[in-house]
Amino acid sequence: MNQSTPPINVEAETIGHFIDGQVITENGPTQPVYNPATGKVIRRVELGGRATVEKAIAAAQAAYPAWRETPPVKRARIMFRFKELLEAHADEICKLMTEEHGKVLADSLGELQRAIENVEFACSAPQLLKGEHSRNVGPAIDSWSEFQPLGVVAGITPFNFPVMVPIWMFPAAIVFGNTFILKPSEKDPSSTLFVARLLKEAGLPNGVLNIVNGGKEAVDTLLTNPQIQAVSFVGSTPVAEYVYTTGTAHGKRVQALGGAKNHAIVMPDADVDNAVNALMGAAYGSCGERCMAIPVVVAVGEEIGDKVVEKLTGALANMKVGNGLEEGCDMGPLVTRDHYEKVRGYVDIGIEEGADLVVDGRDIEVENHPDGFFLGGCLFDNVKPGMKIYQDEIFGPVLSVVRTNSLEQAMDLIDNHEYGNGSCIFTRDGEAARYFTNHVHVGMVGVNVPLPVPVAYHSFGGWKRSLFGDLSIYGPDSMRFYTRRKTITQRWPSTGIREGTNFSFPSNS
Ligand code: NAD
C-alpha cells in the first residue's frame, strides 16, 4: 500500500513488460511504436517470447493462493483506489493514448471514462460474489452455490482501445480472485503499461497483474500453457477464431470477440439532421477504428437516401482532420502506415467495383504533418451487397451507403452479413423500431443511438462471427466467465438420530 510508483518513463527507448510488480526488459527483439500523426518512431516495444510469458505465468501462479484468500471487500478497495488514480492521471493517460493511437484527445477521454466505469463495476465484487443459498432442501440439509476463481487467466487485446479493452478484462478477473496476464497490442503499448502501474500504486500485490508485450509467440504460449485456465480475446475475426479453437483445444475457457460491419438503417421518417450528426461521429470518430463504428448506412427509400448523402457530403466538408493532440480536431490519423495503405486500397477497390465515390479523402494534406498516416473521410453511394467494400471490415474512415426499399430488405442485409456485432435504426416509428430490436440478428442494438455500446453493468458481445464463445465480456457475464460455480450440500443431523441405509436416489418424496 502507498508504494509510490514513478510514472512510466515515456522517454525510455524500449517499452518492456510488467512482471511481478516490476517493469523489465530482456534484451529481446523489438519493433517500432509510431506517432501516427507525425509518422515518426517515438519508442520501441520489446516482443516477449515463450520464456518471458512463462516468467509472467510463474509470477501469477505464485501470487494466486494468497490473492484467492484475500477477502473480496479488500480486493474491491484496491479497485476504488485504482479508479481515483485513473481520474488523477487522466491527462497523462489520454496523451499517451492519442500519441500512439492517433485518436483525438476528447475521444481518448471518452475511452478512459468508459474504462473507469468498468472499474466501478469491479468494485461491486462482494455483492456479486454472494452466491445462492437454500435452507432445508431436505431434512436438516442446507445447500448453497458459491463462485470460485479459476486461477491464472489471460487477456489479449487490440490496438484500438489500448486502455478500455484491457480494463474490460483485468479489473473483473482480479477482483473475483484470479491472477492475470495481459498481452496488449504491440502497436500502442504505453498507456496500457501506465495504467497497470497505477494498479500497483493502488495496492495490488505483485504478480496479481502481469503484462507481457509481444506478438504471436506470446499469444501461442498463453493459449497452450496448461497453467492458464481461461482466455479473453478482443481483436479481428480471423485471430479471434484461431484463439478460440486453439485455446479450447487446450482445455481452456475462451471468449473471443472479433470484427464487425455495423449497419445503420435510416427510415423515411427519420429526423435526418440528427441521424446525419450521429452518423458522422459513428462513421468517422476514431478514424473508423472502432468495432462499434458504423461503416454502412442503409437508406430505406430513394428520397431519404438522397438527403442523407447530400447532408453527409456537407458535413464531411467541415470535418477537421489533424493531429489529435491539437485543439479543434475531429479526426486523427490511422494507426500505422500499413493500415493506412490497406484502407486506402479499399477506396481504390470500391471505385473498381463500381460504387460512386461521392467524397474522396485520399489526397488530404494536413499542415505541418507531411508524413502522418492521414486519410480524409470517404463516402461511397450505391454500394451493393456483393462488393468487397460492403463485405469486408475496412476499419477506417470509409462510409458506404446502400439503397433499399423496405425495412425488411434492410434487415435481410444485416441478417445475411457474416458479422453481427451492432446495428441501429433511425426512425420516429415505434412499431418499426420494436420490430427491428426484436428480430435483427446482432448482439447490440440502438434505436436513434448510433453506438449502442452497453454500459459497464450490462455485458458487451456480438453474434455470428463477431463473438466465439458463450459469454459476453464485462458486466454480469464477467462474473460467470472468471469464476466457476461450486454447489455444496450440507447436513447436520440432530445428535442421537440414527438412520438406516437407503438405496433409492435421494429425494424429498
Ligand atoms: P488483431 O486481431 O490484429 O490483434 C489483436 C491481438 O491479437 C493483438 O494483441 C495482436 O498482437 C494479436 N495477434 C495478431 N495477430 C495474431 C496471430 N496471427 N496470432 C496470435 N495473435 C495475434 O486486431 P487489431 O488490428 O489490433 O484490432 C482491430 C480489430 O479488433 C478489428 O477487427 C476490430 O473490429 C476488433 N475489435 C473488436 C472488438 C469487439 O469487442 N468485438 C473491440 C475492439 C476491436
Side-chain angles (χ1 to χ4, degrees):
M1 208 126 358
N2 290 335
Q3 314 150 55
S4 100
T5 304
I8 179 174
N9 180 7
V10 292
E11 303 301 326
E13 284 193 357
T14 303
I15 301 294
H17 318 286
F18 182 67
I19 297 178
D20 207 15
Q22 308 301 322
V23 175
I24 61 162
T25 48
E26 305 213 287
N27 295 321
T30 62
Q31 84 171 43
V33 177
Y34 292 90
N35 176 338
T38 62
K40 300 223 166 15
V41 177
I42 48 171
R43 295 172 193 113
R44 300 192 69 82
V45 60
E46 185 168 285
L47 302 178
R50 173 175 293 275
T52 311
V53 176
E54 284 172 354
K55 200 178 270 185
I57 293 172
Q61 263 189 295
Y64 178 61
W67 185 244
R68 182 190 195 276
E69 295 309 317
T70 301
V73 73
K74 290 197 170 176
R75 301 197 293 242
R77 276 185 201 138
I78 295 172
M79 291 300 156
F80 277 107
R81 286 195 288 274
F82 181 43
K83 166 189 150 71
E84 286 171 2
L85 287 170
L86 288 171
E87 286 165 348
H89 290 274
D91 289 349
E92 294 142 277
I93 297 167
C94 291
K95 183 168 171 284
L96 278 177
M97 273 197 262
T98 294
E99 201 177 38
E100 293 184 356
H101 176 285
K103 62 178 76 180
V104 301
L105 273 178
D107 196 27
S108 293
L109 198 58
E111 167 174 355
L112 179 62
Q113 182 53 36
R114 280 294 188 119
I116 288 170
E117 288 169 18
N118 281 274
V119 179
E120 289 168 347
F121 177 81
C123 293
S124 59
Q127 164 72 15
L128 293 166
L129 288 172
K130 279 193 313 194
E132 299 159 357
H133 188 271
S134 298
R135 183 174 149 74
N136 277 345
V137 296
I141 300 176
D142 304 327
S143 182
W144 71 92
S145 294
E146 56 188 45
F147 295 91
Q148 300 196 338
L150 305 176
V152 181
V153 301
I156 300 156
T157 52
F159 79 84
N160 65 324
F161 288 106
V163 168
M164 182 184 77
V165 171
I167 287 181
W168 282 0
M169 301 175 184
F170 69 74
I174 284 172
V175 89
F176 297 137
N178 303 281
T179 55
F180 201 87
I181 298 170
L182 175 70
K183 207 302 286 170
S185 171
E186 60 278 36
K187 290 175 190 151
D188 49 4
S190 297
S191 55
T192 322
L193 199 58
F194 187 102
V195 299
R197 298 185 67 192
L198 292 182
L199 193 45
K200 174 175 168 160
E201 195 177 327
L204 194 75
N206 292 344
V208 175
L209 172 67
N210 305 275
I211 296 189
V212 178
N213 281 304
K216 185 166 166 48
E217 185 181 334
V219 171
D220 285 344
T221 308
L222 291 169
L223 295 178
T224 53
N225 189 296
Q227 306 302 336
I228 301 291
Q229 304 300 317
V231 177
S232 298
F233 172 88
V234 177
S236 60
T237 285
V239 185
E241 189 166 28
Y242 169 76
V243 166
Y244 185 77
T245 50
T246 311
T248 51
H250 284 81
K252 300 177 198 322
R253 186 181 286 185
V254 182
Q255 56 180 180
L257 286 79
K261 193 85 174 181
N262 309 310
H263 294 44
I265 298 178
V266 184
M267 295 293 284
D269 64 352
D271 177 330
V272 188
D273 288 321
N274 275 345
V276 166
N277 286 342
L279 289 170
M280 284 297 294
Y284 302 107
S286 200
C287 215
E289 294 168 319
R290 291 181 185 140
C291 65
M292 288 295 277
I294 294 287
V296 179
V297 172
V298 187
V300 177
E302 286 302 321
E303 200 180 324
I304 195 87
D306 291 346
K307 274 192 207 159
V308 166
V309 170
E310 185 196 321
K311 286 178 184 282
L312 283 170
T313 305
L316 274 166
N318 294 323
M319 187 171 77
K320 174 113 193 323
V321 181
N323 184 337
L325 288 174
E326 291 171 7
E327 285 284 307
C329 286
D330 299 312
M331 188 177 92
L334 287 158
V335 68
T336 58
R337 180 162 296 284
D338 282 354
H339 192 53
Y340 165 83
E341 302 289 355
K342 180 179 152 195
V343 176
R344 195 187 161 102
Y346 269 109
V347 181
D348 301 337
I349 290 170
I351 297 167
E352 283 160 27
E353 287 179 315
D356 299 332
L357 185 61
V358 182
V359 179
D360 183 354
R362 286 175 297 176
D363 293 326
I364 191 165
E365 285 180 11
V366 174
E367 209 182 331
N368 299 326
H369 291 75
D371 300 319
F373 312 141
F374 291 102
L375 184 69
C378 298
L379 178 65
F380 277 110
D381 195 4
N382 294 311
V383 173
K384 304 280 183 263
M387 293 178 179
K388 205 167 159 51
I389 57 163
Y390 173 79
Q391 292 295 341
D392 293 3
E393 181 185 45
I394 298 175
F395 223 53
V398 181
L399 179 59
S400 293
V401 177
V402 182
R403 310 281 189 131
T404 58
N405 296 320
S406 66
L407 176 60
E408 288 71 19
Q409 270 182 15
M411 286 176 61
D412 280 349
L413 285 174
I414 298 172
D415 294 350
N416 291 325
H417 205 284
E418 130 181 59
Y419 298 114
N421 219 35
S423 68
C424 69
I425 188 167
F426 292 96
T427 185
R428 290 176 166 121
D429 178 346
E431 190 182 355
R434 196 162 183 273
Y435 181 82
F436 176 73
T437 58
N438 190 16
H439 292 287
V440 70
H441 287 198
V442 303
M444 294 167 283
V445 184
V447 176
N448 300 316
V449 171
L451 298 178
V453 179
V455 289
Y457 37 97
H458 285 255
S459 295
F460 180 112
W463 288 11
K464 298 186 276 184
R465 289 175 63 76
S466 292
L467 172 64
F468 301 86
D470 302 312
L471 288 169
S472 294
I473 203 159
Y474 72 72
D477 275 12
S478 66
M479 220 275 282
R480 296 290 181 212
F481 187 78
Y482 292 124
T483 63
R484 62 187 143 212
R485 175 188 290 268
K486 182 177 279 181
T487 304
I488 295 130
T489 305
Q490 178 174 270
R491 182 176 189 209
W492 292 105
S494 300
T495 321
I497 293 184
R498 290 282 173 273
E499 284 178 4
T501 303
N502 186 346
F503 289 98
S504 59
F505 197 67
S507 77
N508 270 318
S509 62

